[in-house]
Amino acid sequence: MSTTPFAVLGLLSIEPMSGYDIRREIEESLSFFWSESYGQIYPALKRLEAARLIAPVTQARSGIRGRRVFRITALGEAKLRAWLAEPPVPQPPRNELLLKIFFGRHAPPGACAAHVRRLRIQQQQLSATLTRMTRQLHAERHGDPNLRYWLIVVSAGLSRADALIQWSDQALSALAGGS
Amino acid sequence: MSTTPFAVLGLLSIEPMSGYDIRREIEESLSFFWSESYGQIYPALKRLEAARLIAPVTQARSGIRGRRVFRITALGEAKLRAWLAEPPVPQPPRNELLLKIFFGRHAPPGACAAHVRRLRIQQQQLSATLTRMTRQLHAERHGDPNLRYWLIVVSAGLSRADALIQWSDQALSALAGGS
DNA sequence: AAATGCATGTAACGCGTTACATGATTTT
DNA sequence: AAAATCATGTAACGCGTTACATGCATTT
């Protein structure tokens, strides 16, 4: 099965949310290691509800087509727990930057270096964001049982970004060097 | 357009090959940053030939359904060069391991640590493979104008693997620590 | 009342994998 | 001659994105 329903289930295990909230949360907090689109989220919510893994939070406003908030059910928590225990399946790698450098011999002069410089800037910004996020988590989530896990995840992003920055410097001097 | 045809074009720019060769090359040498399946490669070859970006290398054996080797054309080289100059588009991130750790609070005890240990082992092996590959490249491709680019790519894999190993150790002690 | 943002939902499409069918070539 | 491996090719399927349609709520 797709991992999308489990991502949704996982977010609902933290707190009840609407499809829109789920999207926003992924976009704002998880975007450095995960992504989902509406086209995935809403159908997933539908299927999860049909399977009784989530349930609508009864909202007083009976308005049709209003905001629909869901919570995870006990059954949903069990399913989530079982999924969390399974070894993650790595997705097949597809790094377009490395592919372009691999064929770099045929690239116009300077193209590879330009790509690497762009990467470096992105990762620099990401690193700053994640550092800020670390401070924020410590401040705002103090005492939250999720905190330790979230810090580990952020540190993964941080160490990845820093490794990429260091590699960029190496790569740039290797590209510049007329060896 | 998909990047598959450019990956194919790029490999053919190194030397003429069959679809089977392309698959093997990707599997053996590029698998740490790229992947393609037959279901992508053969249709891509067909389209590239139709567009005159590659041409069959005339093989004497007129046998139907034999080995079909292709070479890149001048037009193909131009197209490849243009693609190489464009900024690579990053694929949306989907790291299932980090997702599972993010929801780690709901995981059975020890599950996250087990995932991280598995990652560590994989990356340790990858690091060893890439180190071997570096030596091999220096030895066997000495003088090859591709060498510098290939070494940069391998060093990206290596620094990524090493960063992941270091992060694993951090993560494991954070997971173990009863903070 | 118009514009903007919040919110839900789906249809269409493309990419990529998996699994299978087929046949040629080499090894045992 | 059988088995293994090299090699080509496609059909079916699933996942995920993009783009659009719709309408509620709030601000200007």
Side-chain angles (χ1 to χ4, degrees), chain B residues 119-150:
Chain B
L119 174 79
R120 196 186 191 288
I121 290 169
Q122 286 162 15
Q123 297 301 313
Q124 197 85 25
Q125 288 171 347
L126 178 60
S127 178
T129 302
L130 294 178
T131 301
R132 212 160 35 230
M133 201 182 272
T134 303
R135 268 199 295 276
Q136 232 171 53
L137 282 173
H138 274 117
E140 294 171 9
R141 297 287 171 164
H142 164 258
D144 190 323
N146 287 303
L147 179 60
R148 59 187 315 185
Y149 299 100
W150 295 356

Side-chain angles (χ1 to χ4, degrees), chain A residues 5-7 9-11 13 72 75-85, chain B residues 103 106-108:
Chain A
F6 293 107
L9 220 43
L11 283 172
S13 82
I72 193 169
L75 185 57
E77 266 171 2
K79 274 283 194 312
L80 174 63
R81 195 161 42 245
W83 177 75
L84 288 174
Chain B
F103 301 134
H106 298 279

Side-chain angles (χ1 to χ4, degrees), chain A residues 120-135:
Chain A
R120 196 187 190 287
I121 290 168
Q122 286 163 13
Q123 297 300 313
Q124 197 85 39
Q125 288 171 346
L126 178 59
S127 178
T129 304
L130 294 178
T131 300
R132 212 161 33 232
M133 202 181 271
T134 303
R135 268 199 295 276

Side-chain angles (χ1 to χ4, degrees), chain B residues 18-20 42 46 65-68 94:
Chain B
S18 69
Y20 192 82
Y42 284 110
K46 204 174 198 175
R65 200 177 172 84
R67 178 178 159 80
R68 286 158 50 76
R94 290 201 130 210

Side-chain angles (χ1 to χ4, degrees), chain A residues 80-101:
Chain A
L80 174 63
R81 195 161 42 245
W83 177 75
L84 288 174
E86 279 167 34
V89 298
Q91 69 170 1
R94 290 201 131 211
N95 188 323
E96 203 175 305
L97 171 66
L98 291 187
L99 191 65
K100 287 189 171 180
I101 295 175

Side-chain angles (χ1 to χ4, degrees), chain A residues 38-118:
Chain A
Y38 288 129
Q40 292 275 100
I41 291 168
Y42 284 111
L45 285 171
K46 204 176 199 174
R47 287 196 307 270
L48 289 169
E49 189 185 4
R52 310 280 177 206
L53 305 184
I54 64 174
V57 171
T58 60
Q59 70 261 40
R61 310 304 193 86
S62 66
I64 281 166
R65 203 181 172 80
R67 177 179 161 78
R68 287 159 49 77
V69 174
F70 295 91
R71 62 173 179 83
I72 193 169
T73 64
L75 185 57
E77 266 171 2
K79 274 283 194 312
L80 174 63
R81 195 161 42 245
W83 177 75
L84 288 174
E86 279 167 34
V89 298
Q91 69 170 1
R94 290 201 131 211
N95 188 323
E96 203 175 305
L97 171 66
L98 291 187
L99 191 65
K100 287 189 171 180
I101 295 175
F102 189 83
F103 302 134
R105 171 162 135 68
H106 299 278
C112 287
H115 299 336
V116 173
R117 272 194 296 273
R118 251 187 311 269

